[in-house]
Amino acid sequence: MAHVVVIGSQWGDEGKGKIVDWLSERADVVVRFQGGHNAGHTLVIDGKTYKLSLLPSGVVRPGKLSVVGNGVVVDPWALLDEIERIRGQGVEVTPQTLRVAENAPLILPVHRELDAARERARGSAKIGTTGRGIGPAYEDKVGRRAIRLCDLAEPAGLDEKIKWLLVHHNALRAGLGVEQVDGAALKQSLLDIAPRLLPFADCVWRRLDEAHRGGRRILFEGAQGVMLDIDHGTYPFVTSSNTVAGSSGVGSGLGPAAQGYVLGITKAYTTRVGSGPFPTEQQNAVGALLGDRGKEFGTVTGRPRRCGWFDAVMVRQAVRISGIHGIALTKLDVLDGFDELMVSTAYRWRGQIIDRLPGGETAQAEVEPVYERMPGWRESTRGARSWAELPAAAIKYIRRIEELIGCSVAMLSTSPEREDTILVRDPFAS
């Protein structure tokens, strides 16, 4: 039975929510494998909008098992608040429908506070984080001082763990001029929340192995995008986890041989939230129009997204790094009405034409896009559900993108509604 890994092929915000929801209806298990509640997916089902940050998209569909893997950093308070919020929308989340890896690291108040203090200290050189403690939590995980979900079941050992956690954090806080943390108060807050959180704890790797062996379809739901990957993205303006497809195995405990089909969600133009290089950004009327038509505001933060033309260099790089088998092209309808479209086919850097985004921070800021001009279309593509309903110029645009990135379109989205999707190849049937 094929499994599917869904990732973003740009800087996130590619419209994964709708595609993941479409696929989750066909899956038995939906797994989050990296990131935290800095991610945001918007689902529109039967006219009702659900905004999820930490919960897998499968929670809104009856009969699906949702899993938060060990690669995710979990803010216990944010998780429980999100469960209560969607419960208010009529979605019941229970330990029978949601399992959280017992070895998942926890995001604590100290992580959020450190995140904010660092960004303040950096001033104009800030990274542009969401301020939710994601980075500091991953640092503690790698530094082997994290408090994990399973630790809440062993309160006798919390004192020693908190002691060594605060040796690190209080030293940093002193340097940043932030008040020291009271270890006893931190411990009490964890003990207070433990009874509500521990019923969801599970040995996730074993549960997924059983599902795999039992022939159940598993959907791996990535957050952010490849160009925000801690190793392969526009460093240091990246997230703190690996967002590439290979992370699905590490972050869930189900080996890479079970990955199956990798679907890269790709917006028909390019957007980015926060700081960092953006070669095709349009800080002009074009960018404003794309942002307005595409309603480009972050699901989690509400921050306006920077907008620009499609960057085939970047997406081609993401396709190769992540082993993407096919893309789901989203928001094509936003381009309706443009007389002319631009696609970046290469970069110009220090007098040379290059076909990749270089690794250095300075070089990434210096590259200039080499554009290919393409005719736009006046007709509407919104709501199209077959190729026959698309204008000839729109089809030409799609085919040229496929050529430039070296990857075929498996799905095409023409509006936020899940039914407005042209299926070329079912990832679960691949």
Side-chain angles (χ1 to χ4, degrees), residues 26 49 62-63 69 88 92 147 184-185 229 264 269 286 294 345 351 377 397-398 404:
R26 292 153 177 79
T49 300
E92 193 67 24
I147 293 176
D229 185 275
Y269 49 101
V286 169
T345 60
W377 54 90
Y397 181 76
I398 295 165
L404 290 169

Side-chain angles (χ1 to χ4, degrees), residues 153-221:
E154 301 173 350
L158 277 177
D159 286 321
E160 188 73 4
K161 291 181 182 298
I162 290 174
K163 169 188 169 182
W164 289 112
L165 177 76
L166 296 187
V167 164
H168 175 77
H169 277 270
N170 279 334
L172 290 175
R173 293 166 75 98
L176 291 166
V178 179
E179 184 181 358
Q180 302 287 281
V181 178
D182 182 346
L186 175 58
K187 178 184 178 182
Q188 189 58 53
S189 67
L190 291 171
L191 293 178
D192 289 344
I193 206 167
R196 298 174 60 198
L197 196 63
L198 284 173
F200 296 99
D202 198 1
C203 179
V204 158
W205 68 263
R206 186 171 62 186
R207 187 171 290 272
L208 292 178
D209 180 65
E210 291 170 351
H212 172 63
R213 292 175 184 276
R216 303 182 73 192
R217 287 177 168 178
I218 302 175
L219 176 63
F220 295 90
E221 179 182 359

Side-chain angles (χ1 to χ4, degrees), residues 71-129:
V72 178
V73 283
V74 177
D75 183 320
W77 297 273
L79 174 61
L80 293 173
D81 285 348
E82 190 171 336
I83 289 172
E84 287 302 315
R85 177 165 50 80
I86 68 165
R87 184 171 288 158
Q89 293 184 273
V91 178
E92 193 67 24
V93 180
T94 70
Q96 285 68 49
T97 60
L98 173 69
R99 309 306 291 162
V100 181
E102 61 186 1
N103 52 337
L106 300 182
I107 298 176
L108 307 174
V110 295
H111 297 127
R112 296 193 297 271
E113 292 160 5
L114 178 59
D115 207 350
R118 281 175 169 167
E119 287 286 81
R120 287 196 301 270
R122 291 181 69 97
S124 61
K126 64 183 179 179
I127 299 297
T129 75

Side-chain angles (χ1 to χ4, degrees), residues 17 23 40 90-91 97 101 117 140 233 278 335 353 376 401 406 410:
L23 291 167
V91 178
T97 60
D140 283 346
F278 188 165
L335 300 181
I353 301 298
I401 283 176

Side-chain angles (χ1 to χ4, degrees), residues 27 36 49 61 100 138-139 163 298 339 411:
T49 300
R61 295 204 166 275
V100 181
Y138 274 116
E139 289 177 40
K163 169 188 169 182
D339 293 324
M411 301 174 70

